[in-house]
Amino acid sequence: MHLALATLLGGGGAPVHDGPIAAGLKNFSNWLTEPTRYSVASILAVVGILYFRKFFAQVWVITAFFALSTAYFVFAFQDPNFNAIITKPDNVPIVILFASVIFFTWLALRRAVINDERTKRGEPTLEGELAKQKVFTWPDLVYTELICLILFTAGMLVWSILITAPIEEPAATARTPNPSKAPWYFLGLQELLVYFDPWLAGVVLPSFIVVGLCAIPYLDLNPKGNGYYTFEERPFAIAFFWVGFLLFWVSFVILGTFLRGPNWSFFGPFEYWDLHKLEPMVNVDLSTYFWVELLDKPRPDNAFVREAPGIVALLGYFLVLPPLFGKTVMKKMVEEMGMVRFNVFMHLFLWFVLIPVKMGLRWTVNLKYFIGMPEYFFNV
Amino acid sequence: MTKLFTYIRESQIWKSIFRHGYPDTPRNRTLAVLSNVFLHLHPVKVRRSGIRLSYTWCMGGLTFFLFLILTLTGLLLMFYYRPTADKAYEDIFALREHVPIGVMREMHRWGAHLMVISVWLHMYRVFLTGSYKPPREFNWNVGVILLVLTLLLSFTGYLLPWDQLAVWAITVGTNMARATPFLGHEGPGAALVSFGGIDFIHAGDDVRFGLLAGRFVGEGALLRFYVLHCVGFPLIAATLMAVHFWRVRKDGGISGPL
Ligand code: HEM
């Protein structure tokens, strides 16, 4: 069944000989999706879309986006490598994730833009107009639910009949598949393993995500924007969540699913998953930079002396920055939130910021660890 | 025909079940919701803004509906599945080989993927509409726990087919637990948890061992994941969903501008 679908959508068979335009497009896609460029491009996209939100909120923009994406997919399906990764049955949901996240982000942005304009003109928001009317749960709500339910079940059935759930070889603890991937929804965390050790990427950061989510209602004291879409009444909150959810979570899941192959090396969407592709690892610890490059000495033997620069830097980051900001640029915030809230917020926020900081340092100066104490499994 | 319907509706059996007439008058519509324990999770009247698809995206409802589908299909799958290392794979394989147009396993697998997506989108919507702000702070927290439970449900289920994909995905996932500070044998600070020269944390008793009932993903892990997947987590999730829906109602219904 699944094969039938793949042929239906085209491709999957004999290799196609690309013309110059097709080859150019493929090479460009492979080039752009390289993790550094991919991440930088995503950041620029988020900032750009928020800044030019009036433009992006238009209906034709999203229509054009989906039309172009569809065209691109049809084109890309002809390529055996692209086809192989996209039509893997378990990857279909990730395509759905991609499309639905983009669509709903656009929808929310559109309503936010409309609401912000209405508020400026002194009119009620889209939701505000309807909120005054009350309707009976039966039939209005119950029927909406029922219709959603039926349509949805039909869709699920069609999907289930068309695509058979896969099953691989029986479990064999002696044979490690390459790549070994966590379930797709944890691939964002697996991507962080490139930059952080397991105790951070796998334990501490996920715990902070859960704690941070729980803390949101107690840290965001802005009373505005409750019950309607808006951007201008809570720009920081929205931008923050966009970065956290869209970039560090969804886009990394997509990266991990489609662009990470054997040995967790990067593979462009049109690239063959070659087991022997090696990426040179030349990452350097902060302690090496400090002792060897800066002071021109050998690294001291005592781990704590050796790692002193990193320890000082991180202690400064986590212990000096919050009071410093609290006394200066964020003075008003401290007054509004109180000391406890402010400190909780700052610590969560600094951890959040540490992720892009470390990524940036890795890309630019090949930084491996701020503090590297493998003796104690303590690497940051 | 009309006569038949009237007859049924006038019968003692019908009247013993439904204590109101056809819901086409305000009174009966109110009663339809109030006298039904399931519909009662809804308020009698809702703000028109709150039931618009463009507002809620119906993602919470969809998540709940997927949970129901998964419970149903999962129950059917349990009839055919034995959680032991030598039977598990065989049973899943047999489902595909011997059942023509079988969709239970497919519905369960695709539904599980979708539930993870819909719960993320639901959270995204709740955030973007600021619906976690007072008075809904607590319900947001119930939601966060439900999110974690959804991921745990999906994660424990991932192991059950007992194929290469399953075992290695769970291996990658649970390897992280080795590095838990203080509690994992490769975690920072684990060496400090020792007493009189005896290390308390080693590969044979750290958190990963506790998760997997062993040093690697084996039969003990399969049973443990099976029990959590089929009984433990669904029970907790169902209970919290009841709390979640009740609180939606008690916090003034779906959020809207005041
Ligand atoms: C198994 C998971 C979940 C289920 C079945 C579920 C179900 C629902 C349903 C049916 C609603 C009614 C409104 C709507 O459909 O949007 C709702 C509202 C709500 N949910 Fe969830 N939810 C889940 C997870 C979450 C998560 C992960 C969060 C947040 C972290 C959350 C926070 C909320 C809040 C704050 C409301 C009130 C929203 C409002 O009044 O506008 N829920 N939930």
Side-chain angles (χ1 to χ4, degrees), chain A residues 242-282:
Chain A
W242 269 39
V243 173
F245 180 68
L246 297 181
L247 287 187
F248 290 160
W249 199 257
V250 175
S251 93
F252 279 9
V253 166
I254 292 168
L255 175 73
T257 309
F258 297 124
L259 304 173
R260 289 291 189 183
N263 310 320
W264 205 252
S265 298
F266 160 76
F267 290 87
F270 299 100
E271 202 173 328
Y272 174 69
W273 278 21
D274 181 1
L275 281 177
H276 305 292
K277 176 170 179 177
L278 278 183
E279 287 181 345
M281 294 272 272
V282 283

Short mmCIF file of all heavy atoms in Angstrom, two decimals, chain A residues 242-282:
data_model
loop_
_atom_site.label_atom_id
_atom_site.label_comp_id
_atom_site.label_asym_id
_atom_site.label_seq_id
_atom_site.Cartn_x
_atom_site.Cartn_y
_atom_site.Cartn_z
N TRP A 242 7.64 32.03 20.28
CA TRP A 242 7.97 31.68 18.89
C TRP A 242 9.37 31.09 18.82
O TRP A 242 9.60 30.07 18.20
CB TRP A 242 7.90 32.93 18.01
CG TRP A 242 6.57 33.16 17.41
CD1 TRP A 242 5.37 32.96 18.00
CD2 TRP A 242 6.31 33.63 16.08
NE1 TRP A 242 4.37 33.29 17.12
CE2 TRP A 242 4.91 33.71 15.95
CE3 TRP A 242 7.10 34.02 15.01
CZ2 TRP A 242 4.29 34.13 14.78
CZ3 TRP A 242 6.50 34.45 13.85
CH2 TRP A 242 5.11 34.51 13.73
N VAL A 243 10.31 31.76 19.46
CA VAL A 243 11.68 31.27 19.41
C VAL A 243 11.77 29.90 20.08
O VAL A 243 12.33 28.95 19.54
CB VAL A 243 12.64 32.27 20.08
CG1 VAL A 243 14.03 31.70 20.20
CG2 VAL A 243 12.68 33.57 19.30
N GLY A 244 11.17 29.78 21.26
CA GLY A 244 11.24 28.52 21.98
C GLY A 244 10.55 27.38 21.25
O GLY A 244 11.12 26.32 21.05
N PHE A 245 9.31 27.63 20.85
CA PHE A 245 8.51 26.55 20.27
C PHE A 245 8.86 26.32 18.80
O PHE A 245 9.15 25.20 18.38
CB PHE A 245 7.02 26.88 20.43
CG PHE A 245 6.10 25.82 19.86
CD1 PHE A 245 6.01 24.58 20.45
CD2 PHE A 245 5.33 26.09 18.74
CE1 PHE A 245 5.16 23.60 19.92
CE2 PHE A 245 4.48 25.12 18.21
CZ PHE A 245 4.40 23.87 18.80
N LEU A 246 8.84 27.40 18.03
CA LEU A 246 9.04 27.21 16.59
C LEU A 246 10.48 26.85 16.26
O LEU A 246 10.73 25.96 15.46
CB LEU A 246 8.64 28.46 15.82
CG LEU A 246 7.18 28.87 15.92
CD1 LEU A 246 6.90 30.10 15.08
CD2 LEU A 246 6.28 27.73 15.45
N LEU A 247 11.44 27.56 16.88
CA LEU A 247 12.84 27.32 16.51
C LEU A 247 13.44 26.15 17.25
O LEU A 247 13.87 25.17 16.66
CB LEU A 247 13.69 28.55 16.80
CG LEU A 247 13.52 29.73 15.88
CD1 LEU A 247 14.56 30.79 16.20
CD2 LEU A 247 13.66 29.28 14.44
N PHE A 248 13.47 26.25 18.57
CA PHE A 248 14.20 25.24 19.34
C PHE A 248 13.45 23.93 19.45
O PHE A 248 14.02 22.94 19.88
CB PHE A 248 14.52 25.77 20.73
CG PHE A 248 15.54 26.85 20.71
CD1 PHE A 248 15.67 27.73 21.75
CD2 PHE A 248 16.38 27.00 19.61
CE1 PHE A 248 16.61 28.73 21.73
CE2 PHE A 248 17.32 28.00 19.58
CZ PHE A 248 17.43 28.87 20.64
N TRP A 249 12.18 23.92 19.16
CA TRP A 249 11.47 22.65 19.28
C TRP A 249 11.09 22.12 17.90
O TRP A 249 11.68 21.15 17.41
CB TRP A 249 10.28 22.79 20.22
CG TRP A 249 9.82 21.47 20.71
CD1 TRP A 249 8.72 20.80 20.27
CD2 TRP A 249 10.46 20.62 21.68
NE1 TRP A 249 8.65 19.58 20.90
CE2 TRP A 249 9.68 19.45 21.77
CE3 TRP A 249 11.60 20.74 22.47
CZ2 TRP A 249 10.01 18.40 22.63
CZ3 TRP A 249 11.93 19.69 23.33
CH2 TRP A 249 11.14 18.54 23.39
N VAL A 250 10.14 22.77 17.22
CA VAL A 250 9.62 22.21 15.97
C VAL A 250 10.68 22.15 14.88
O VAL A 250 10.86 21.12 14.23
CB VAL A 250 8.40 23.02 15.51
CG1 VAL A 250 7.91 22.53 14.16
CG2 VAL A 250 7.29 22.92 16.53
N SER A 251 11.42 23.24 14.71
CA SER A 251 12.36 23.23 13.59
C SER A 251 13.49 22.23 13.85
O SER A 251 14.02 21.64 12.92
CB SER A 251 12.89 24.63 13.31
OG SER A 251 14.10 24.86 13.99
N PHE A 252 13.83 22.00 15.11
CA PHE A 252 14.86 20.99 15.40
C PHE A 252 14.34 19.57 15.21
O PHE A 252 15.10 18.66 14.86
CB PHE A 252 15.40 21.16 16.82
CG PHE A 252 16.43 22.24 16.92
CD1 PHE A 252 16.69 23.08 15.85
CD2 PHE A 252 17.16 22.42 18.09
CE1 PHE A 252 17.64 24.07 15.94
CE2 PHE A 252 18.12 23.42 18.19
CZ PHE A 252 18.36 24.25 17.12
N VAL A 253 13.05 19.37 15.46
CA VAL A 253 12.46 18.06 15.18
C VAL A 253 12.57 17.78 13.69
O VAL A 253 12.95 16.69 13.25
CB VAL A 253 10.99 18.02 15.64
CG1 VAL A 253 10.28 16.81 15.07
CG2 VAL A 253 10.91 17.99 17.15
N ILE A 254 12.25 18.81 12.88
CA ILE A 254 12.31 18.63 11.43
C ILE A 254 13.74 18.39 10.98
O ILE A 254 14.04 17.48 10.19
CB ILE A 254 11.68 19.86 10.75
CG1 ILE A 254 10.18 19.86 11.06
CG2 ILE A 254 11.93 19.86 9.26
CD1 ILE A 254 9.47 21.13 10.71
N LEU A 255 14.66 19.18 11.53
CA LEU A 255 16.07 18.99 11.22
C LEU A 255 16.51 17.57 11.57
O LEU A 255 17.16 16.87 10.77
CB LEU A 255 16.89 20.01 12.00
CG LEU A 255 18.42 19.94 11.93
CD1 LEU A 255 18.91 20.41 10.57
CD2 LEU A 255 19.07 20.77 13.02
N GLY A 256 16.16 17.13 12.77
CA GLY A 256 16.59 15.81 13.23
C GLY A 256 16.00 14.68 12.40
O GLY A 256 16.64 13.65 12.20
N THR A 257 14.76 14.88 11.95
CA THR A 257 14.12 13.81 11.19
C THR A 257 14.68 13.69 9.78
O THR A 257 15.05 12.61 9.33
CB THR A 257 12.60 14.08 11.08
OG1 THR A 257 12.11 14.32 12.39
CG2 THR A 257 11.89 12.88 10.48
N PHE A 258 14.74 14.82 9.10
CA PHE A 258 15.03 14.76 7.67
C PHE A 258 16.50 14.98 7.33
O PHE A 258 16.96 14.58 6.27
CB PHE A 258 14.18 15.79 6.92
CG PHE A 258 12.71 15.53 7.03
CD1 PHE A 258 11.86 16.49 7.52
CD2 PHE A 258 12.19 14.30 6.66
CE1 PHE A 258 10.50 16.25 7.63
CE2 PHE A 258 10.84 14.04 6.76
CZ PHE A 258 9.99 15.02 7.25
N LEU A 259 17.22 15.67 8.19
CA LEU A 259 18.55 16.11 7.76
C LEU A 259 19.68 15.51 8.58
O LEU A 259 20.84 15.86 8.38
CB LEU A 259 18.63 17.64 7.83
CG LEU A 259 17.54 18.38 7.03
CD1 LEU A 259 17.59 19.85 7.29
CD2 LEU A 259 17.69 18.10 5.55
N ARG A 260 19.36 14.62 9.50
CA ARG A 260 20.41 13.98 10.27
C ARG A 260 20.46 12.50 9.90
O ARG A 260 19.47 11.79 10.07
CB ARG A 260 20.15 14.13 11.78
CG ARG A 260 20.34 15.54 12.28
CD ARG A 260 21.79 15.94 12.24
NE ARG A 260 22.01 17.22 12.91
CZ ARG A 260 23.20 17.81 12.94
NH1 ARG A 260 24.25 17.27 12.35
NH2 ARG A 260 23.36 18.96 13.57
N GLY A 261 21.61 12.06 9.40
CA GLY A 261 21.75 10.68 8.96
C GLY A 261 22.72 9.90 9.81
O GLY A 261 22.88 10.20 10.99
N PRO A 262 23.38 8.92 9.22
CA PRO A 262 24.33 8.10 9.97
C PRO A 262 25.31 8.94 10.76
O PRO A 262 25.79 9.98 10.29
CB PRO A 262 25.03 7.31 8.87
CG PRO A 262 24.04 7.23 7.78
CD PRO A 262 23.25 8.49 7.84
N ASN A 263 25.62 8.49 11.96
CA ASN A 263 26.53 9.18 12.89
C ASN A 263 26.03 10.57 13.26
O ASN A 263 26.80 11.42 13.69
CB ASN A 263 27.94 9.31 12.33
CG ASN A 263 28.44 7.98 11.81
OD1 ASN A 263 28.20 6.95 12.42
ND2 ASN A 263 29.09 8.00 10.66
N TRP A 264 24.73 10.80 13.04
CA TRP A 264 24.15 12.11 13.32
C TRP A 264 24.82 13.19 12.48
O TRP A 264 24.82 14.37 12.79
CB TRP A 264 24.20 12.45 14.80
CG TRP A 264 23.15 13.43 15.24
CD1 TRP A 264 23.35 14.73 15.59
CD2 TRP A 264 21.74 13.22 15.35
NE1 TRP A 264 22.16 15.33 15.91
CE2 TRP A 264 21.15 14.43 15.77
CE3 TRP A 264 20.89 12.14 15.12
CZ2 TRP A 264 19.78 14.59 15.98
CZ3 TRP A 264 19.54 12.29 15.33
CH2 TRP A 264 18.99 13.49 15.76
N SER A 265 25.46 12.79 11.37
CA SER A 265 26.02 13.78 10.46
C SER A 265 24.89 14.45 9.71
O SER A 265 23.81 13.88 9.55
CB SER A 265 26.95 13.13 9.45
OG SER A 265 28.02 12.52 10.09
N PHE A 266 25.20 15.63 9.20
CA PHE A 266 24.20 16.35 8.43
C PHE A 266 24.15 15.83 6.99
O PHE A 266 25.18 15.58 6.37
CB PHE A 266 24.53 17.85 8.42
CG PHE A 266 23.85 18.55 7.30
CD1 PHE A 266 22.49 18.84 7.38
CD2 PHE A 266 24.53 18.89 6.15
CE1 PHE A 266 21.85 19.45 6.32
CE2 PHE A 266 23.89 19.52 5.10
CZ PHE A 266 22.55 19.79 5.19
N PHE A 267 22.92 15.65 6.47
CA PHE A 267 22.74 15.31 5.07
C PHE A 267 21.67 16.21 4.49
O PHE A 267 20.58 16.32 5.05
CB PHE A 267 22.30 13.85 4.92
CG PHE A 267 23.39 12.87 5.25
CD1 PHE A 267 23.58 12.46 6.55
CD2 PHE A 267 24.23 12.39 4.27
CE1 PHE A 267 24.59 11.56 6.88
CE2 PHE A 267 25.24 11.50 4.57
CZ PHE A 267 25.43 11.09 5.88
N GLY A 268 21.97 16.86 3.38
CA GLY A 268 20.97 17.69 2.71
C GLY A 268 19.83 16.82 2.23
O GLY A 268 19.96 15.60 2.11
N PRO A 269 18.67 17.46 1.94
CA PRO A 269 17.51 16.66 1.55
C PRO A 269 17.71 15.86 0.27
O PRO A 269 17.02 14.87 0.05
CB PRO A 269 16.40 17.69 1.40
CG PRO A 269 17.08 19.00 1.30
CD PRO A 269 18.37 18.88 2.04
N PHE A 270 18.66 16.29 -0.56
CA PHE A 270 18.87 15.56 -1.81
C PHE A 270 20.18 14.77 -1.78
O PHE A 270 20.74 14.42 -2.81
CB PHE A 270 18.87 16.52 -3.01
CG PHE A 270 17.58 17.25 -3.15
CD1 PHE A 270 17.45 18.54 -2.70
CD2 PHE A 270 16.47 16.64 -3.72
CE1 PHE A 270 16.25 19.22 -2.80
CE2 PHE A 270 15.28 17.30 -3.84
CZ PHE A 270 15.17 18.59 -3.38
N GLU A 271 20.67 14.53 -0.58
CA GLU A 271 21.96 13.90 -0.46
C GLU A 271 21.77 12.43 -0.09
O GLU A 271 20.86 12.08 0.67
CB GLU A 271 22.76 14.61 0.63
CG GLU A 271 24.26 14.44 0.52
CD GLU A 271 24.97 15.32 1.54
OE1 GLU A 271 24.45 16.42 1.86
OE2 GLU A 271 26.00 14.90 2.04
N TYR A 272 22.64 11.57 -0.61
CA TYR A 272 22.56 10.16 -0.29
C TYR A 272 23.12 9.91 1.12
O TYR A 272 24.15 10.49 1.48
CB TYR A 272 23.36 9.36 -1.33
CG TYR A 272 23.46 7.89 -0.99
CD1 TYR A 272 22.33 7.07 -1.04
CD2 TYR A 272 24.67 7.33 -0.61
CE1 TYR A 272 22.41 5.74 -0.72
CE2 TYR A 272 24.76 5.98 -0.28
CZ TYR A 272 23.63 5.20 -0.34
OH TYR A 272 23.72 3.89 0.01
N TRP A 273 22.43 9.07 1.91
CA TRP A 273 22.88 8.81 3.28
C TRP A 273 24.07 7.86 3.27
O TRP A 273 23.91 6.65 3.37
CB TRP A 273 21.74 8.23 4.14
CG TRP A 273 20.83 9.28 4.66
CD1 TRP A 273 20.66 10.53 4.16
CD2 TRP A 273 19.96 9.18 5.78
NE1 TRP A 273 19.73 11.22 4.89
CE2 TRP A 273 19.28 10.41 5.90
CE3 TRP A 273 19.66 8.19 6.71
CZ2 TRP A 273 18.35 10.66 6.89
CZ3 TRP A 273 18.73 8.44 7.69
CH2 TRP A 273 18.08 9.67 7.79
N ASP A 274 25.24 8.43 3.15
CA ASP A 274 26.46 7.64 3.04
C ASP A 274 26.98 7.34 4.45
O ASP A 274 27.27 8.25 5.22
CB ASP A 274 27.49 8.46 2.25
CG ASP A 274 28.79 7.72 2.08
OD1 ASP A 274 28.88 6.58 2.56
OD2 ASP A 274 29.70 8.30 1.47
N LEU A 275 27.13 6.05 4.76
CA LEU A 275 27.59 5.66 6.10
C LEU A 275 28.97 6.19 6.42
O LEU A 275 29.37 6.29 7.57
CB LEU A 275 27.63 4.14 6.21
CG LEU A 275 26.30 3.45 6.43
CD1 LEU A 275 26.49 1.94 6.43
CD2 LEU A 275 25.71 3.88 7.77
N HIS A 276 29.75 6.50 5.39
CA HIS A 276 31.15 6.84 5.63
C HIS A 276 31.41 8.33 5.59
O HIS A 276 32.55 8.77 5.64
CB HIS A 276 32.04 6.13 4.61
CG HIS A 276 31.81 4.65 4.64
ND1 HIS A 276 32.16 3.88 5.71
CD2 HIS A 276 31.20 3.83 3.76
CE1 HIS A 276 31.80 2.62 5.47
NE2 HIS A 276 31.21 2.57 4.30
N LYS A 277 30.31 9.12 5.51
CA LYS A 277 30.53 10.56 5.53
C LYS A 277 31.08 10.95 6.90
O LYS A 277 30.47 10.67 7.94
CB LYS A 277 29.22 11.30 5.28
CG LYS A 277 29.37 12.81 5.40
CD LYS A 277 28.13 13.54 4.92
CE LYS A 277 28.33 15.04 5.07
NZ LYS A 277 27.20 15.82 4.57
N LEU A 278 32.23 11.56 6.92
CA LEU A 278 32.83 11.94 8.19
C LEU A 278 32.89 13.45 8.30
O LEU A 278 33.27 14.14 7.37
CB LEU A 278 34.25 11.37 8.29
CG LEU A 278 34.31 9.91 8.73
CD1 LEU A 278 35.76 9.48 8.86
CD2 LEU A 278 33.59 9.72 10.06
N GLU A 279 32.48 13.94 9.45
CA GLU A 279 32.63 15.37 9.67
C GLU A 279 33.76 15.55 10.67
O GLU A 279 33.72 15.00 11.76
CB GLU A 279 31.33 15.95 10.21
CG GLU A 279 30.28 16.01 9.11
CD GLU A 279 28.96 16.60 9.58
OE1 GLU A 279 28.75 16.70 10.80
OE2 GLU A 279 28.15 16.94 8.72
N PRO A 280 34.79 16.29 10.30
CA PRO A 280 35.92 16.44 11.20
C PRO A 280 35.49 17.15 12.47
O PRO A 280 34.71 18.10 12.45
CB PRO A 280 36.90 17.30 10.40
CG PRO A 280 36.08 18.00 9.38
CD PRO A 280 34.93 17.10 9.07
N MET A 281 35.95 16.64 13.62
CA MET A 281 35.63 17.25 14.90
C MET A 281 36.88 17.94 15.41
O MET A 281 37.84 17.26 15.79
CB MET A 281 35.20 16.19 15.91
CG MET A 281 33.89 15.52 15.53
SD MET A 281 32.50 16.43 16.19
CE MET A 281 32.37 15.66 17.78
N VAL A 282 36.89 19.23 15.41
CA VAL A 282 38.08 19.94 15.86
C VAL A 282 37.70 20.91 16.96
O VAL A 282 38.17 22.03 17.00
CB VAL A 282 38.74 20.72 14.70
CG1 VAL A 282 39.49 19.78 13.80
CG2 VAL A 282 37.69 21.49 13.92
#
